Amino acid sequence: MTEQPTTLSSGPEAWPTPEDAYALGPNILREIAWTARTARLVVDQPFDGDDAREYFLRKAALLDRIALQSEQDGIHGDATELAEAAALYLIDTDHARSAVTEADPRGYVRREYAGWTAHH
């Protein structure tokens, strides 16, 4: 069962660092494979609820990790835009849109992913 979104407590300072958020998660290659495999399944059998949230969370986290690598290389382009869009989609799915989440949507993804990995 997938964790439900946590409540924002004290704003952006509560967001984990990328290193902390992704420390317990599967490596990026496994996340790419899982996301691609799951996306193919969704085409034939749409899902909702906890399964859908897990997919959108892991997809947003994967795109954030890719964007972080690009940003480390000095590139702020498509990967950054896709990560931001996926984060906002997750926020909307979770009904968690606020000034705080809009200010740092990728921080929200990191916090939610860290919570998810701590329970899996």
Side-chain angles (χ1 to χ4, degrees):
M1 185 166 148
T2 305
E3 281 294 302
Q4 291 301 311
T6 54
T7 304
L8 291 175
S9 55
S10 58
E13 63 274 5
W15 301 150
T17 64
E19 296 79 17
D20 289 341
Y22 301 125
L24 298 177
N27 73 47
I28 196 165
L29 294 176
R30 286 189 182 192
E31 286 295 76
I32 289 169
W34 183 89
T35 303
R37 185 175 54 253
T38 303
R40 281 194 305 270
L41 294 173
V42 173
V43 170
D44 295 326
Q45 251 182 342
F47 56 64
D48 57 11
D50 289 343
D51 290 336
R53 182 173 193 276
E54 179 179 353
Y55 171 74
F56 292 119
L57 172 61
R58 291 176 73 175
K59 178 182 174 184
L62 172 61
L63 290 169
D64 182 49
R65 293 167 80 175
I66 292 169
L68 287 166
Q69 185 60 55
S70 293
E71 292 162 359
Q72 280 183 342
D73 295 339
I75 302 166
H76 296 269
D78 291 344
T80 300
E81 291 175 21
L82 288 170
E84 187 109 352
L88 289 170
Y89 187 85
L90 178 67
I91 289 166
D92 286 344
T93 300
D94 287 349
H95 306 289
R97 194 170 282 256
S98 70
V100 173
T101 58
E102 285 189 29
D104 187 5
R106 289 169 59 194
Y108 177 82
V109 169
R110 293 174 194 144
R111 188 196 61 205
E112 295 301 306
Y113 190 82
W116 177 81
T117 58
H119 294 94
H120 286 84

